[in-house]
Amino acid sequence: MKSLYFHSNIKVAVVLITSIFRIQKVNDNNILSGSDAKLLECLAEKLNFEFEILTTTSGGSRYSNGTWDGIIGLVQKGEADMGLSMLVFSEERYEAIDFSNSYSALEKVFVAKEPGQMPKITAFTYPFSQNVWILYALMILTASVIFQRLMFKNSTLLGSFLSVLGSIVTQGMENVRDTPWRRVLFGLWLTIAAVMPFLYNTSFLSFLTMPEKIPIPKTFKELSEAVLDGKYKCLVPKQSIDEDLLLDSGIDYLVKLGESVKKNDWKYSYEEKLESLLDDTTALLIPKPAIKLRFGSPPFINVKVSDDYSGIWHSGIALKKGFCCRKRLNSVLNGIINGGLFEKWMDEYSFTETIRKKLDLQHEEPQLQLTLQDLKLAFFTLGFGYALAFLAFLGEILIQKRFAIFYS
């Protein structure tokens, strides 16, 4: 059976990206590596063509005069017959070139540095939220005023406050007026004074068992708000059109995020060491498949992936307008995708990156005992309490006749 026609020599424009498309010279021979490089070699073998590689620095961005740079520009001008390196489909790109069928779906997510544990020095405040602490303080102050007026005999406001405060740490109350309706009020407060410390203690023990981590943005909306507040910055790849996709999304918080990226020129290159770009205030916009390729797979991945994504974009092979063999190319490409070969290549390079992460990982002995750092807050609180007790003792000795704390 006579084989269908396909060009015998193809010029291919690519962007050199680690684990996607790499060229290494070994004994005067060019050795290709990466998932898209494997795809190109498989296509060349099945369609029986030879190829020449043209390298560029980006997938392609459109200038104001309608021309393009990068891979799209080379294909549009006819300097290359096709181009690949995870190129995303877009309406503007379709005006300049054609695309093959999709061979990968890219969920656009962001990654942030794995958050550390919250500071232990303020751990005593974590069981309750800020609003609960404020409500609790107001309850104590209100109870102090009410008890001073209605419950205690000849008590000062300070004395009432100290008695109410002592009741929440299991101290008894004295000099209470004993009437039926006052017993109801007294019992209500004792219930509150018993329940709130119980809830606090159980929450605090839970925190000590599994310490909380510093909160970071988990969704694109939270990231956009953090960027607008000046708490975070978001970097997008130079080789992609992610900035344009954010601006054209039509979603308010994504548009604002794109405007911040454009205004501050927050860009990064896939060739950089991405781990070094991440700090406590930086997030990277990245396709989800690239996370495994660049950061490895669990449990050695050291970044936090967002819970949602800004969109799902398909990638394909860029083809110049009027490319004669598009149908044959798509037929072979569909066979590769349906046979799971491209996914296999992605997993292989992800596994390689995971092994590299594992080799770089330094073993640390787990700390099973408490350290002085862990007990610093306890000793500080104890010392502060002793200091207050000593001051109160001096006050009772020096001004016992001139200053009545509990009774007027």
Side-chain angles (χ1 to χ4, degrees):
M1 180 178 177
K2 185 178 179 181
S3 62
L4 298 176
Y5 171 76
F6 199 91
H7 285 305
S8 59
N9 292 286
I10 301 290
K11 292 183 178 180
V12 183
V14 301
V15 176
L16 299 181
I17 303 174
T18 302
S19 300
I20 302 295
F21 206 110
R22 296 295 296 170
I23 303 175
Q24 294 176 302
K25 207 165 203 51
V26 179
N27 297 328
D28 296 328
N29 294 320
N30 290 328
I31 305 300
L32 304 184
S33 63
S35 56
D36 277 26
K38 286 284 189 180
L39 176 62
L40 177 60
E41 289 180 329
C42 188
L43 289 172
E45 181 181 351
K46 298 299 292 184
L47 294 170
N48 195 27
F49 67 83
E50 295 181 355
F51 53 84
E52 176 186 349
I53 300 296
L54 305 177
T55 60
T56 183
T57 58
S58 69
S61 300
R62 186 169 63 175
Y63 296 116
S64 57
N65 60 4
T67 59
W68 292 74
D69 62 4
I71 292 177
I72 306 301
L74 292 174
V75 176
Q76 181 190 35
K77 291 180 289 188
E79 297 179 17
D81 301 297
M82 64 172 63
L84 73 167
S85 284
M86 290 288 186
L87 293 175
V88 170
F89 296 170
S90 72
E91 185 177 351
E92 292 80 7
R93 285 179 169 180
Y94 263 113
E95 294 175 1
I97 62 169
D98 288 332
F99 273 101
S100 69
N101 291 346
S102 171
Y103 64 85
S104 180
L106 307 178
E107 295 180 16
K108 297 289 185 172
V109 298
F110 69 84
V111 295
K113 185 179 179 181
E114 183 71 32
Q117 294 181 0
M118 297 181 71
K120 296 180 180 179
I121 193 67
T122 54
F124 66 91
T125 65
Y126 299 154
F128 293 157
S129 65
Q130 182 179 359
N131 292 336
V132 173
W133 279 117
I134 293 174
L135 178 62
Y136 198 16
L138 290 176
M139 288 173 57
I140 294 173
L141 294 176
T142 303
S144 300
V145 174
I146 294 176
F147 276 39
Q148 188 263 337
R149 293 178 178 274
L150 301 178
M151 299 293 297
F152 296 129
K153 300 174 183 177
N154 302 321
S155 175
T156 64
L157 186 59
L158 178 58
S160 176
F161 171 74
L162 293 177
S163 295
V164 170
L165 191 62
S167 68
I168 66 177
V169 289
T170 68
Q171 298 296 316
M173 283 183 167
E174 299 178 351
N175 196 35
V176 178
R177 295 175 182 176
D178 188 13
T179 60
W181 69 271
R182 285 188 174 91
R183 292 175 186 172
V184 175
L185 181 61
F186 189 55
L188 176 63
W189 172 253
L190 289 182
T191 302
I192 296 174
V195 171
M196 291 299 290
F198 173 76
L199 296 177
Y200 176 87
N201 290 334
T202 53
S203 298
F204 189 62
L205 289 174
S206 298
F207 171 80
L208 293 179
T209 304
M210 185 172 292
E212 290 284 337
K213 292 190 174 183
I214 298 173
I216 61 173
K218 296 180 180 179
T219 65
F220 273 89
K221 186 174 182 180
E222 293 178 1
L223 177 62
S224 179
E225 292 171 352
V227 167
L228 293 177
D229 291 340
K231 299 177 181 179
Y232 253 80
K233 61 181 179 180
C234 179
L235 309 182
V236 301
K238 294 178 181 178
Q239 297 93 334
S240 72
I241 56 171
D242 288 342
E243 179 185 305
D244 298 330
L245 296 178
L246 290 173
L247 293 172
D248 297 337
S249 64
I251 302 175
D252 183 57
Y253 58 85
L254 291 181
V255 173
K256 291 180 179 178
L257 181 61
E259 289 173 349
S260 298
V261 170
K262 184 176 182 179
K263 177 182 177 181
N264 296 281
D265 193 30
W266 284 333
K267 301 288 181 67
Y268 73 92
S269 172
Y270 282 128
E271 292 307 296
E272 298 180 73
K273 188 177 181 180
L274 301 189
E275 291 91 337
S276 64
L277 299 177
L278 290 173
D279 55 32
D280 294 333
T281 60
T282 302
L284 303 181
L285 196 64
I286 188 171
K288 197 169 185 177
I291 295 176
K292 292 195 300 182
L293 295 175
R294 298 308 308 273
F295 295 102
S297 302
F300 305 104
I301 189 170
N302 56 355
V303 296
K304 191 71 175 177
V305 184
S306 62
D307 293 340
D308 64 349
Y309 44 85
S310 62
I312 300 178
W313 307 91
H314 289 271
S315 63
I317 300 174
L319 303 172
K320 65 181 182 181
K321 290 287 186 179
F323 186 72
C324 68
C325 313
R326 180 180 176 183
K327 187 175 181 179
R328 280 210 67 201
L329 177 67
N330 284 334
S331 177
V332 176
L333 183 61
N334 288 341
I336 293 172
I337 303 305
N338 294 334
L341 291 177
F342 186 76
E343 184 177 355
K344 175 180 177 293
W345 298 327
M346 293 277 286
D347 290 340
E348 286 176 351
Y349 286 102
S350 171
F351 177 74
T352 302
E353 184 65 18
T354 301
I355 293 299
R356 189 184 68 81
K357 295 283 186 185
K358 185 176 181 180
L359 293 175
D360 293 342
L361 189 66
Q362 295 182 354
H363 177 71
E364 296 181 359
E365 290 292 339
Q367 294 184 354
L368 301 179
Q369 67 277 5
L370 291 174
T371 64
L372 184 60
Q373 183 70 19
D374 297 323
L375 298 175
K376 182 168 63 176
L377 176 62
F379 285 124
F380 174 80
T381 305
L382 182 63
F384 183 71
Y386 280 147
L388 289 180
F390 181 71
L391 291 176
F393 173 71
L394 289 180
E396 290 178 357
I397 295 176
L398 298 177
I399 56 177
Q400 58 179 337
K401 296 182 179 179
R402 290 177 291 170
F403 186 67
I405 296 177
F406 287 98
Y407 306 112
S408 59

